[in-house]
Amino acid sequence: MRAGARVLCAAITVMAVMMIPLPQKITVKNIKTAEYITVKKELHQLTAECEGELKCAAKSELYLTEPVYVEELFVSVGDEIAEGELLLTADRETTKAVMDSADAVIGSASVHSVEDVAELEKYAEYLEKYGITNLQNEDADAEKAVRNTQSVPKKIRSPFAGTVTVLNAGKNQMCGGSLPLAVIEDRTSIYASLCADEQYANRLAVGAKVELMGSAFGDNVISAEISRIIPEVQKRISGSGVQNVIFFEAKPESGTAALLSGSSVSGRVCIGDAFECISLPYECIRQDDMGEYVWVVEENRAVKRRVETVSEMRDAAQLRGDISEGESVIYAPDGIEEGALLKISEHREQG
């Protein structure tokens, strides 16, 4: 009897142990892998998008009072020239012959048909291109003046210094007249003419920093600062609509590589003063029916914290709410649930 009792008691004890619930087994698939960012205050600067083109403040056009026939040409487009530098020499005899010939052709022209009138006007426009406008026709009773070859300048020098950007002259050709002989730019005077949305009209300030980008200077970013603000909101065609914009000018920093006027540029202009704040990348912020929130790591588990966006920046949002410096916020928390057990893979630095 005693032996049987002992066996029975042992069986009951084993059954009792088996009935005690075991702790829930934690499997690897229940653990979420996540990256995190440490919350900290950082210095930020708000910026606004802008676009426009480069212009030259000191652009000079050289005109001749009389057209001349070019004997020798000493400059070409892109050359840097000094004030007083020789541009070309003129062939006086040929210049006189061309001008006298033009007078003679027009003076002896007779008009018999519409075609004659059109041809005569076409020829007159061609000559006027070279400044030959004192022409006579068959009805003119004034006596044609005799040209003096000494009135044609032999050497033509530039009264300006800079870079030749346009040259309307060629060897053994007539030049001058209604077109400028040359356009000469002082490339140290190049500036950016820019515009930004009207919402920034009262937030732009002379001296504010601007970053300029454009295909004309490759991957380089040109630093500049606002030198002038046009005090008027203007309308500008943008796509299929009209945009209200504020125009301003920005001067590139000295020592910047040579820039070309007419180049299109885009950029970012600083708005207001730099400030310190808590900010997080947009990839950290989520939203539900109650508003914005982030996932904070507490004892290796995910905890939802409510936040609010104060202002939006290019790569991050300024936040306020239930987060503090030093806490860890999950980056790109897709599939995270309240209380989820986390395996932190690495710390991600803010951009």
Side-chain angles (χ1 to χ4, degrees):
M1 291 293 291
R2 292 178 181 174
R6 283 197 298 271
V7 172
L8 181 60
C9 290
I12 293 173
T13 302
V14 171
M15 292 178 65
V17 171
M18 292 177 65
M19 292 176 65
I20 297 174
L22 297 174
Q24 185 178 357
K25 187 179 290 185
I26 299 174
T27 61
V28 174
K29 67 179 182 179
N30 292 329
I31 302 176
K32 296 290 185 180
T33 300
E35 297 178 281
Y36 74 96
I37 288 177
T38 300
V39 178
K40 57 183 177 181
K41 285 187 176 181
E42 293 185 312
L43 192 65
H44 287 279
Q45 173 66 65
L46 295 180
T47 60
E49 301 295 322
C50 58
E51 60 182 7
E53 67 174 324
L54 299 182
K55 294 185 177 182
C56 183
K59 176 185 287 190
S60 304
E61 296 182 344
L62 175 60
Y63 287 85
L64 300 180
T65 55
E66 294 259 353
V68 297
Y69 190 86
V70 179
E71 180 180 59
E72 291 291 342
L73 186 63
F74 300 100
V75 297
S76 59
V77 172
D79 286 353
E80 295 284 341
I81 61 173
E83 183 179 345
E85 186 169 335
L86 182 63
L87 301 179
L88 61 86
T89 55
D91 184 328
R92 290 174 170 173
E93 296 296 332
T94 304
T95 298
K96 178 180 181 300
V98 170
M99 299 290 282
D100 288 346
S101 175
D103 282 343
V105 169
I106 299 299
S108 62
S110 59
V111 179
H112 300 289
S113 66
V114 174
E115 289 77 12
D116 290 338
V117 172
E119 189 65 27
L120 190 61
E121 289 177 348
K122 181 178 178 182
Y123 188 63
E125 288 176 2
Y126 172 78
L127 294 174
E128 188 175 358
K129 174 181 175 182
Y130 297 106
I132 306 173
T133 55
N134 57 332
L135 306 176
Q136 300 184 27
N137 55 40
E138 58 183 354
D139 298 325
D141 53 6
E143 188 174 326
K144 185 166 64 176
V146 178
R147 296 184 186 278
N148 182 352
T149 60
Q150 298 304 312
S151 67
V152 178
K154 175 66 176 175
K155 295 181 178 181
I156 296 177
R157 301 180 182 275
S158 172
F160 315 112
T163 304
V164 178
T165 57
V166 176
L167 187 64
N168 295 308
K171 185 176 179 179
N172 298 328
Q173 296 177 15
M174 290 291 289
C175 73
S178 60
L179 295 176
L181 170 63
V183 177
I184 300 167
E185 294 185 3
D186 177 2
R187 293 169 73 180
T188 63
S189 72
I190 285 181
Y191 66 95
S193 175
L194 303 162
C195 67
D197 192 88
E198 65 173 334
Q199 65 178 300
Y200 304 110
N202 294 323
R203 303 176 69 185
L204 296 176
V206 172
K209 299 297 182 183
V210 183
E211 290 183 339
L212 299 175
M213 293 150 281
S215 56
F217 31 95
D219 296 331
N220 296 325
V221 176
I222 305 299
S223 296
E225 65 176 42
I226 295 180
S227 56
R228 186 164 77 107
I229 300 170
I230 310 303
E232 177 189 15
V233 172
Q234 302 181 39
K235 296 187 182 298
R236 185 184 71 122
I237 296 175
S238 179
S240 59
V242 177
Q243 180 187 15
N244 288 343
V245 296
I246 183 77
F247 279 88
F248 60 97
E249 297 172 1
K251 178 67 177 173
E253 290 182 352
S254 58
T256 300
L259 303 175
L260 300 176
S261 62
S263 300
S264 59
V265 292
S266 60
R268 294 184 292 266
V269 54
C270 292
I271 302 297
D273 297 325
F275 59 95
E276 260 196 345
C277 69
I278 288 177
S279 67
L280 287 173
Y282 294 107
E283 291 82 355
C284 294
I285 306 167
R286 294 294 183 265
Q287 190 166 14
D288 59 17
D289 294 340
M290 297 180 63
E292 295 175 311
Y293 65 91
V294 296
W295 290 106
V296 174
V297 180
E298 288 186 5
E299 298 180 355
N300 288 335
R301 292 187 180 274
V303 178
K304 183 183 288 188
R305 298 280 190 84
R306 291 292 168 183
V307 294
E308 180 185 356
T309 296
V310 178
S311 62
E312 295 183 352
M313 293 169 277
R314 191 167 70 252
D315 301 315
Q318 179 187 355
L319 299 177
R320 63 186 171 203
D322 192 16
I323 54 172
S324 304
E325 286 188 86
E327 292 188 307
S328 299
V329 172
I330 300 174
Y331 181 85
D334 297 324
I336 298 295
E337 297 178 354
E338 182 74 37
L341 189 61
L342 303 173
K343 177 186 176 183
I344 301 302
S345 62
E346 63 180 87
H347 175 255
R348 175 183 285 267
E349 292 291 339
Q350 292 201 49

